[in-house]
Amino acid sequence: MRVLLVGSGGREHALAWKLARSPQLDALLAAPGSDGIAAVARCLPELADAAPDLLVARARAESIDLVVVGPEAPLAAGLADRLRDAGIATFGPSARAAQLEASKAFAKRFMARHGVPTAAFEVFDEAARAREHVRRLREGCVVKADGLAAGKGVAVCEGPAQAEAAIDEIMGARRFGAAGDRVVIEERLVGEEASFYAVSDGRNVVTLAPAQDFKRVHDGERGENTGGMGAYAPAARVDAALEKRVLEEIVHPTLRGMAAEGSPYRGVLYVGLMIDAEGVPRVVEFNVRFGDPETQPIALQMESDLLPLLDAAARGDLSRVAPPDGRGAAVCVVLCSGGYPRDYTIGRRIEGLDAAAALPGVVVFHAGTRRGADGGFVTAGGRVLGVTARGGDVAAARAQAYAAASKIHFEGMHYRRDIAARAATR
């Protein structure tokens, strides 16, 4: 099978690494790919930011059997629709279905229509009205940019002053551009978070290992939200009973609702959960693609071949696909540039990659790197590397991931030291 993977980040490197191990794979191409992904796929850098028509034409020219779309932006722009219209099997939802992630307001109103449990919310198009609303709140809240903001358009606020500052930054200072034309202000949920993955063909569902990611930039869940500072899988909090409840109360109602509204969902549905002290799950957010950095430990922990699962979903028939098997656990620690998630400097030389990758069970996924003039790697983004390790349990995987991270260095490098710490003691 000839596969084209769309994207260039750490998630795509993990997907490429996993797909490259499939005995069913004849060729793997990545558009645009990256210098890190080039180790396992033929990259097409000329297709960076390419219009959908160019990607469709290249997929035809390369006799591609399956396209796997990694990031959310091309899905929201309708890439999957264009590819399917051209007769090319594609893993990823339609533009209409991708609104579950592309618009927080759409997602919240959709959940309200279909009885999917989530936080109470209000939507505002005017900053003044949003500020008036948060002043009336007696407790903390969450302020979200409505559109796509690379996982950083969310502010968890302790009170009105923080909420007003978030509104001013999103709608006034336009930190996230047009994504902040509208804000959603939500009730602040309390509990333990988990990332739940359901691969769907529009009707049937196959679940993947649940994961837990860590969004705040500093240890102890302090500081700003980021695109993700680390993750581990499987998340022990999601046991068989909770999985059954999430499927019955959240996933299946969402898929039925999308189908009823004329947008059958074909791809992976990422459900960001908050699980309260009584074990009740509610939706924090939907993503319409694999998470980053959750994909890194999921790919490493998974024993099964990923390619047949994605291909069956893309072709609309998961009925004969078994749930994937996994072994042990995996932990990913994200190494970031100094200043991330705000301003940061790129072009810093990265040392120690070979030493880290030489440790048993370790794979270093590249998120924001490029080859330097001397052939070595330098930083090229805020989140630079996803140092990922597999072990017999979370504690063993965590120890190995941090051992590998300690061997890598670049100027300004920072990372959290508490990824999966609580899970390792369970």
Side-chain angles (χ1 to χ4, degrees), residues 135-300:
R135 288 184 198 125
R136 293 194 297 268
L137 297 178
R138 295 184 178 181
E139 298 179 346
C141 66
V142 180
V143 180
K144 297 181 177 181
D146 177 56
L148 297 176
K152 295 187 285 290
V154 177
V156 180
C157 306
E158 299 292 341
Q162 288 186 9
E164 287 194 64
I167 292 163
D168 290 342
E169 183 173 51
I170 293 170
M171 304 189 82
R174 310 280 293 173
R175 179 184 173 192
F176 307 107
D181 287 348
R182 173 185 297 154
V183 294
V184 175
I185 300 175
E186 297 182 358
E187 164 196 12
R188 183 175 176 180
L189 300 179
V190 177
E192 187 170 355
E193 293 190 59
S195 303
F196 190 91
Y197 289 88
V199 175
S200 172
D201 62 8
R203 304 179 309 280
N204 304 299
V205 167
V206 172
T207 60
L208 304 181
Q212 185 173 71
D213 75 332
F214 298 79
K215 289 292 189 187
R216 299 293 194 95
V217 67
H218 298 307
D219 288 4
E221 294 303 314
R222 296 179 296 106
E224 289 190 76
N225 263 32
T226 70
M229 297 296 292
Y232 75 95
R237 186 67 180 84
V238 184
D239 58 15
L242 184 59
E243 177 175 320
K244 181 174 184 291
R245 185 168 184 174
V246 171
L247 286 169
E248 291 177 351
E249 298 179 11
I250 295 171
V251 173
H252 288 304
T254 298
L255 297 178
R256 286 195 298 269
M258 293 304 296
E261 296 188 10
S263 305
Y265 193 97
R266 190 177 295 180
V268 62
L269 181 66
Y270 165 122
V271 186
L273 297 171
M274 184 68 78
I275 306 158
D276 69 15
E278 285 72 45
V280 176
R282 286 196 280 177
V283 177
V284 174
E285 64 175 350
F286 284 126
N287 289 165
V288 298
R289 37 68 186 182
F290 287 104
D292 190 346
E294 297 99 321
T295 304
Q296 289 85 316
I298 289 174
L300 211 59

